[in-house]
Amino acid sequence: MQDKQIVADALKSQEALSQFLRTVEPFIYQTAYYLTGKKVDAEDVTQESLWKVCRSLNQFQGEGSLRGWIHRVVVNTFREQLRKRKTPTVELDEAWQSSDLSVEEQVETRLTEQSLYQAIAMLPVNYREVLVLRHVHDMSYQEIAEALELTEAQVKTRLFRGREKLRTLFYGGDPV
Amino acid sequence: MTHEAYRELIQRAIDEDLSQAEQTVLDTHIETCAECRREYDEYMSLAAGLAKLSKVRPETSFAMQMTPELLRQTVEGAAPAAPKRRVVPLWKRAVPAAAAVVLGVGLSIPMTNGWFDHQEGTGQPDHVALLPEKGQEPTHGPTGQLLPEPPEIKPPPDQESTAALTVELKSTQSEPRLIIREKVETELPMRAVAVAPSDLDQVKEQTGVTVTPEDLAKGKEDAPRPPAEKNGDTSGIASVDEEPLPNDNDHVVVVTVNSTPINVTIEGGRVIVTLAPLSGTQGGTEVAVFELNAPHTSNDTTTVTFTDPEGNVIDESSVPVEQPTAVPRVGDAPSLDILDEAMQSKSQSDPARYSYVTDPVRVVSRHLRELGFAWNAQVSGTQVRDRVAVEQGGVRYVVGLTQPYLQGDGGLWKPAFIARALPVEQPGPQERPVLDYFRGQQEAGVIHSFSELLVLSERVRLGTLVVEAHVEMSGPHGSYESSRSQYRFHLSGDNDGTWKLDGSPDKL
C-alpha cells in the first residue's frame, strides 16, 4: 500500500484515525525523547505533534514518505519548543567536563546507553536531529534530507560531525 | 588520500554506504595505519552503541486520550483549528497513579506495523503484503507461491478497517471481529488458539501481543444485535431458533498466527474456525486477535476447533464459558488458589511471565471473572496500593489485597475482600439509614466529615451491614484527626420496604 492510501484509510473513520495515531505514537515519542533528552519535554512534543499530525494529515500529498513527513512535524514541534523556552544550549564538552564525576567514573560511564542518551541531548540541535533520525529510526540519507528539507550532502556533514563529536567525547582525540 | 578522506570513508561505512571498491580501499588502509584503525574501532563501538538505543515508549498514550470529537471532525474533512482542550497527561491530573497504569496497558499498539518500519528492499510494506488486496484471489501470495485452495473463499474480514465493513461483519452471527493485528519478532509455535474474553493475559503470555478489555469493548455499543434468524452461512448450526440470542458474554477470543479465519461455523456446542495461511509473512510473525460469537451452551466450556481449508484439524482449544451475569459478592474475596507461595517463587524466577502478581491492578484485571466481576469491568488503581477500584454497571467496587508471602515490591498480591462503594447520591433502601446516621453524626458535631463509605459485608435478610468510613474527628486546638473506621449496622425493615436503624452501630 502506498503512503497516500494509508492516509486515505486513516481518514476513513474515527477508529481508523485513532488506530493510526496510536501506531505512529511510539515513533514520534522516540524521536522526541532523543531530541529533547528529557522525558517531560518528550511528552509535550509528542502530544503537540500528534495534534498536528491529526489536524494536517489530510494535507499529506504523498510527496516524500509518510514517515519522513511525520518526523518533520516532530522536528518542527521540537524546534518551536526550543524557541519558546529559549533554553540555553549547554555545550557538549563543557557540560561533560563540568560533571562531578571523577576521571575513573567518567571512564566507567563511557558508552553506556544512559551516557549516550545524555551526550546526544547535548549535541548541537542540527547534528542531533540528523543523528536521531539516522540511528533511532534507521532512516537513509535521502529520507532524512526529505524530512528535514536539506540536501543529502548537508545531512552527511551534520551526521558525520555529530558522530565525530560523540567519538571524541567518549574516546578522546582532537575534536574536528 | 588524506586521513580526513579515510575518516569520511569510516563514517560512511557505519551507514553501509560504501561501494565494494571503497570498502577495499578502507580495509587495506586500516591494516597498515594504526591511527585510522583506532578511529575505525572507536567509530564502530559508537555505532554499536547507537544501534542499541532503546525503542522507548511513552508511559501513557496521548493518542488514546485525544477526544473522539476532534478525530471525528478530522475524519469529516473539517480540520479543527486547534485542540479545544489540551490533554493533560494523566500523571499531571489528580487521578490515582495506578489509573494511569491501567490506561497505559492499552498502549501496546502495533509498533512494528509494517509501513513505519520500512525496510529498504522489501518493497511492499509488511502488513499490506500479508493480506490479499480486495478483489485479488487470495490463493496467490505476492511471492507467487501457490497456497492451498480454500473452499468458498470469503474475503478475510480484516482487509479494511473501515467502519462500514465492521458493522457489516457484526451483523452475522459467525463472523469474526478483528480486535487487533500486530507483528511480533519472535516465532510462535502455534497457528491459532482460543481463549475466554476474561483471559486476555493469556494472549499476552503466548504471543506477546497486548489486548485489553477496552479493546474488546470498543465499537460494541453501536453494533447491531446479531439477528436471531438463520443466515446462509450457518448451515452447520443445529437449530438456531432454539439457541438463545447470544449475549455480550457469549464470546470467545481467537488468536491467529500467520493465518486468517476464512469461515466460522457453529455446530452444536462447537465452533469450527477454518484458517487460511497468510502469505508473505517473511521477517516476522503476524498475530491477529478476533472476537467470535460463541454458541450458548449449558456446558462449562466451549470447544473451538481450528481446521485448514481442507477440513483437517490443526488445533483445538477449550474455552471456559462466560457466565451471563456477573455480580461480585461483597465480603471475603473468592480464594484464588493459583496465587499461592509457589506462584510467589515463580514470579521471582520468571518475572517476564509472572510479574503481574506483583501489581495489584494487574492481579485484579487478570482474575476479574474469578472474583465475580464481568470480564469488561473497568479496573483502576486507587490512592492506596492495596486497594483497586473496579467499575461495573455503574457501581464502584473496591478490591482489597494483601501480600501474604513477601512484603514490598517483589511481593505477590492476593485479593482479600471485595467492598462496594456506598452511592451517596442514590443510596439503596438499606443504605439510606446508614448515610443518615453519618450525616446526623456530622450535624451533631461528633465527626467533622465523612467520606469513602464502603460496604464491606452485607447480609440483606438479616439486615446487617458492615460499613467502612473515612471520618475526620475534631481534635484539640481546632485540628482534625482522620481515620478509617468500621461500623456494623443493624437494620430492621418495615412493610413498606423502608429500613431504619435498629440501635446504634457497633464500632469495630
Side-chain angles (χ1 to χ4, degrees), chain A residues 111-170:
Chain A
L111 254 182
T112 62
E113 186 170 347
Q114 185 58 24
S115 64
L116 197 48
Y117 173 58
Q118 289 170 350
I120 292 171
M122 286 188 277
L123 283 177
V125 173
N126 284 349
Y127 300 171
R128 210 187 307 171
E129 290 169 355
V130 175
L131 192 102
V132 166
L133 295 188
R134 174 75 197 99
H135 287 288
V136 176
H137 296 297
D138 210 21
M139 286 168 71
S140 65
Y141 299 149
Q142 192 203 336
E143 269 187 295
I144 299 169
E146 272 174 20
L148 300 180
E149 292 167 328
L150 299 171
T151 64
E152 277 190 45
Q154 285 172 311
V155 169
K156 280 194 215 174
T157 309
R158 293 180 185 192
L159 180 64
F160 294 178
R161 286 195 185 147
R163 285 198 298 229
E164 177 63 26
K165 266 194 177 289
L166 292 179
R167 183 186 70 86
T168 50
L169 177 82
F170 285 112

Side-chain angles (χ1 to χ4, degrees), chain A residues 94-106:
Chain A
E94 180 193 325
W96 205 258
Q97 281 155 13
S98 70
S99 65
D100 294 332
L101 298 175
S102 68
V103 176
E104 290 77 17
E105 281 168 331
Q106 286 199 24

Side-chain angles (χ1 to χ4, degrees), chain B residues 128-156 159 260 262 276-279:
Chain B
V128 181
L130 298 175
L131 292 169
E133 291 295 328
K134 198 172 190 173
Q136 183 192 335
E137 279 294 314
T139 47
H140 294 272
T143 55
Q145 180 197 2
L146 190 65
L147 301 168
E149 178 89 26
E152 195 211 341
I153 294 204
K154 289 195 240 163
Q159 268 184 5
T260 196
I262 53 169
L278 285 171
S279 51

Side-chain angles (χ1 to χ4, degrees), chain A residues 2 7 27 29-30 32 35 43 45 48-49 54 58 66 69 89 92-93 97 99 118 132 148 151 155 158 163 165 168:
Chain A
Q2 297 304 306
V7 171
F27 302 93
Y29 180 74
Q30 282 152 20
L35 283 181
E43 284 157 0
V45 169
E48 196 57 40
S49 302
C54 175
N58 53 4
L66 179 55
W69 181 82
T89 5
L92 180 62
D93 304 333
Q97 281 155 13
S99 65
Q118 289 170 350
V132 166
L148 300 180
T151 64
V155 169
R158 293 180 185 192
R163 285 198 298 229
K165 266 194 177 289
T168 50

Side-chain angles (χ1 to χ4, degrees), chain B residues 173-194:
Chain B
Q173 251 187 22
S174 54
E175 283 285 18
R177 184 168 76 94
L178 179 71
I179 307 300
I180 199 168
R181 172 183 294 286
E182 194 164 331
K183 254 191 124 182
V184 296
E185 298 295 325
T186 47
E187 287 205 4
L188 298 171
M190 73 286 196
R191 286 277 297 277
V193 69

Side-chain angles (χ1 to χ4, degrees), chain B residues 9-304:
Chain B
L9 284 186
I10 295 171
Q11 287 258 21
R12 285 175 50 213
I14 296 176
D15 300 320
E16 292 170 3
D17 188 46
L18 294 189
S19 67
Q20 191 61 51
E22 289 171 320
Q23 186 71 54
T24 312
V25 168
L26 178 62
D27 290 346
T28 316
H29 177 71
I30 56 178
E31 268 177 35
T32 53
C33 173
E35 191 184 337
C36 284
R37 189 163 59 243
R38 182 180 52 80
E39 266 195 34
Y40 179 85
D41 291 343
E42 289 169 358
Y43 268 119
M44 288 304 154
S45 308
L46 174 68
L50 288 166
K52 275 189 278 184
L53 288 175
S54 299
K55 302 287 183 209
V56 284
R57 282 167 165 236
E59 282 171 9
T60 289
S61 169
F62 298 105
M64 285 181 69
Q65 295 176 53
M66 289 169 76
T67 58
E69 180 60 19
L70 186 92
L71 299 179
R72 191 181 62 75
Q73 287 178 22
T74 309
V75 167
E76 287 173 1
K84 286 177 183 137
R85 183 175 60 86
R86 186 169 163 84
V87 178
V88 179
L90 275 175
W91 56 91
K92 291 180 186 166
R93 293 188 200 161
V95 286
V101 173
V102 173
L103 268 159
V105 172
L107 229 179
S108 305
I109 310 302
M111 219 171 125
T112 49
N113 213 13
W115 69 270
F116 222 76
D117 270 0
H118 173 73
Q119 301 273 317
E120 277 177 50
T122 55
Q124 289 273 333
D126 298 346
H127 79 300
V128 181
L130 298 175
L131 292 169
E133 291 295 328
K134 198 172 190 173
Q136 183 192 335
E137 279 294 314
T139 47
H140 294 272
T143 55
Q145 180 197 2
L146 190 65
L147 301 168
E149 178 89 26
E152 195 211 341
I153 294 204
K154 289 195 240 163
D158 47 306
Q159 268 184 5
E160 300 173 25
S161 57
T162 62
L165 186 65
T166 315
V167 170
E168 183 194 310
L169 292 176
K170 279 185 209 134
S171 66
T172 63
Q173 251 187 22
S174 54
E175 283 285 18
R177 184 168 76 94
L178 179 71
I179 307 300
I180 199 168
R181 172 183 294 286
E182 194 164 331
K183 254 191 124 182
V184 296
E185 298 295 325
T186 47
E187 287 205 4
L188 298 171
M190 73 286 196
R191 286 277 297 277
V193 69
V195 300
S198 58
D199 207 6
L200 294 173
D201 276 12
Q202 277 280 345
V203 180
K204 170 86 178 162
E205 273 172 27
Q206 300 209 20
T207 66
V209 174
T210 305
V211 187
T212 63
E214 292 91 295
D215 291 334
L216 281 190
K218 209 173 295 157
K220 237 178 206 173
E221 311 80 8
D222 45 14
R225 300 294 292 177
E229 68 269 16
K230 287 183 189 181
N231 66 55
D233 298 322
T234 52
S235 51
I237 296 183
S239 56
V240 176
D241 296 339
E242 285 165 31
E243 304 271 354
L245 252 175
N247 63 38
D248 283 348
N249 298 304
D250 292 327
H251 289 105
V252 290
V253 171
V254 167
V255 183
T256 60
V257 177
N258 287 341
S259 54
T260 196
I262 53 169
N263 195 29
V264 180
T265 49
I266 300 170
E267 210 171 281
R270 276 152 50 96
V271 180
I272 299 165
V273 181
T274 309
L275 296 174
L278 285 171
S279 51
T281 49
Q282 306 93 322
T285 306
E286 165 94 349
V287 176
V289 181
F290 296 88
E291 189 183 49
L292 298 181
N293 287 325
H296 192 92
T297 67
S298 52
N299 302 338
D300 290 335
T301 57
T302 299
T303 305
V304 180

